[in-house]
Amino acid sequence: EDQVTQSPEALRLQEGESSSLNCSYTVSGLRGLFWYRQDPGKGPEFLFTLYSAGEEKEKERLKATLTKKESFLHITAPKPEDSATYLCAVQAAGYGGATNKLIFGTGTLLAVQP
Amino acid sequence: EPEVTQTPSHQVTQMGQEVILRCVPISNHLYFYWYRQILGQKVEFLVSFYNNEISEKSEIFDDQFSVERPDGSNFTLKIRSTKLEDSAMYFCASSEAPGTSEFFGPGTRLTVL
């Protein structure tokens, strides 16, 4: 069964304290891995798509990396406005053909204190 | 910047009633999706829609649910005979093509009393 596990569940950082969030996945052929940011009561906001092992993407203080079994979201010198839940999702190639659905993890709740 | 919009932002209904949730996907996108998120739980896939038909649906998406693209801009989710357990945030999303990034709307919070 396709599955996504994120860790830690919650992370509290001081402003400027860099860290990484983990997303490990089990999927029947990876079509794509997606990172989203979600603020309370809002929809997921797209951050990155990664398609193959070794790929990296960057945006401001965030950098996403991908291996064959997991992805990391590195946050460099975070600011309080980076506080949110970060969601990882995968799209599977599937045995019977590619699927368009995203399978989400439970997310990491990040709190950055000033 | 183009964005997915959803109405209403909050819908309160009585158990057993029918509700229609509305979405306007990004204009040049061809693939449309509905997801839901029960409070404190994962975002769950409900259905995907392409070329005026359902391309994939989850086990959750049973006969109680239906989707429609009534015109060139709107995409709707109808929930018939709502149950208490249908209370959740419902998100619409769209993408240009399969395997590309899905962009989500702000959601409709459905409360079934």
Side-chain angles (χ1 to χ4, degrees), chain B residues 3-16:
Chain B
E3 59 183 18
V4 177
T5 59
Q6 291 185 244
T7 54
S9 56
H10 191 188
Q11 174 88 51
V12 180
T13 190
Q14 294 292 322
M15 192 168 53

Side-chain angles (χ1 to χ4, degrees), chain B residues 10-90:
Chain B
H10 191 188
Q11 174 88 51
V12 180
T13 190
Q14 294 292 322
M15 192 168 53
Q17 296 297 305
E18 174 182 288
V19 296
I20 298 176
L21 310 184
R22 303 180 192 280
C23 166
V24 179
I26 294 173
S27 61
N28 64 331
H29 286 185
L30 301 176
Y31 290 79
F32 314 121
Y33 314 86
W34 284 101
Y35 290 81
R36 79 173 184 189
Q37 187 175 31
I38 295 170
L39 188 62
Q41 297 187 22
K42 294 183 185 184
V43 177
E44 302 175 286
F45 170 80
L46 293 177
V47 66
S48 61
F49 191 88
Y50 169 71
N51 199 26
N52 280 322
E53 61 182 26
I54 291 173
S55 52
E56 190 173 358
K57 61 183 180 180
S58 72
E59 293 175 352
I60 303 168
F61 194 89
D62 59 20
D63 292 342
Q64 185 193 4
F65 296 88
S66 61
V67 289
E68 191 178 30
R69 187 151 164 85
D71 54 45
S73 58
N74 290 284
F75 179 52
T76 63
L77 173 68
K78 182 187 290 186
I79 309 175
R80 287 179 284 274
S81 189
T82 49
K83 308 169 194 171
L84 295 176
E85 54 264 38
D86 294 327
S87 295
M89 282 287 283
Y90 288 81

Side-chain angles (χ1 to χ4, degrees), chain A residues 3-4 31-32 34 36 38 41-46 48-49 51 87 91 98-107, chain B residues 31 33 35 37 41-45 48 50 55-56 58 89 91 97-107 109:
Chain A
Q3 199 169 350
V4 176
R31 195 178 192 185
F34 303 80
Y36 289 87
Q38 187 176 31
K42 303 288 180 63
E45 175 189 342
F46 172 74
F48 304 109
T49 306
Y51 291 108
L87 302 175
Q91 201 173 69
T99 172
N100 292 337
K101 70 179 182 184
L102 293 179
I103 301 167
F104 280 85
T106 51
Chain B
Y31 290 79
Y33 314 86
Y35 290 81
Q37 187 175 31
Q41 297 187 22
K42 294 183 185 184
V43 177
E44 302 175 286
F45 170 80
S48 61
Y50 169 71
S55 52
E56 190 173 358
S58 72
M89 282 287 283
F91 296 111
T100 62
S101 311
E102 293 180 25
F103 292 86
F104 284 73
R109 179 174 298 282

Side-chain angles (χ1 to χ4, degrees), chain A residues 1 3 5 9 15-16 30 35 41-42 47-48 50 61 76 82 86 92 96 105 107 110 113:
Chain A
E1 181 184 345
Q3 199 169 350
T5 303
E9 290 184 6
E15 185 172 1
L30 182 68
W35 281 99
K42 303 288 180 63
L47 293 174
F48 304 109
L50 302 166
R61 295 177 291 283
T76 302
D82 295 322
Y86 290 85
L110 174 66
Q113 297 183 316

Side-chain angles (χ1 to χ4, degrees), chain A residues 5-98:
Chain A
T5 303
Q6 292 188 246
S7 62
E9 290 184 6
L11 180 63
R12 182 171 293 181
L13 300 174
Q14 292 295 317
E15 185 172 1
E17 180 186 0
S18 301
S19 188
S20 296
L21 313 182
N22 177 263
C23 170
S24 61
Y25 62 90
T26 306
V27 68
S28 52
L30 182 68
R31 195 178 192 185
L33 185 140
F34 303 80
W35 281 99
Y36 289 87
R37 168 189 171 132
Q38 187 176 31
D39 292 302
K42 303 288 180 63
E45 175 189 342
F46 172 74
L47 293 174
F48 304 109
T49 306
L50 302 166
Y51 291 108
S52 56
E55 191 174 358
E56 298 183 353
K57 294 267 179 80
E58 279 190 74
K59 179 181 178 180
E60 295 180 354
R61 295 177 291 283
L62 300 177
K63 181 169 125 178
T65 62
L66 181 64
T67 72
K68 289 187 177 179
K69 293 185 177 182
E70 59 192 348
S71 176
F72 291 93
L73 184 66
H74 308 276
I75 303 177
T76 302
K79 298 182 178 181
E81 53 262 41
D82 295 322
S83 298
T85 296
Y86 290 85
L87 302 175
C88 172
V90 297
Q91 201 173 69
Y95 294 114

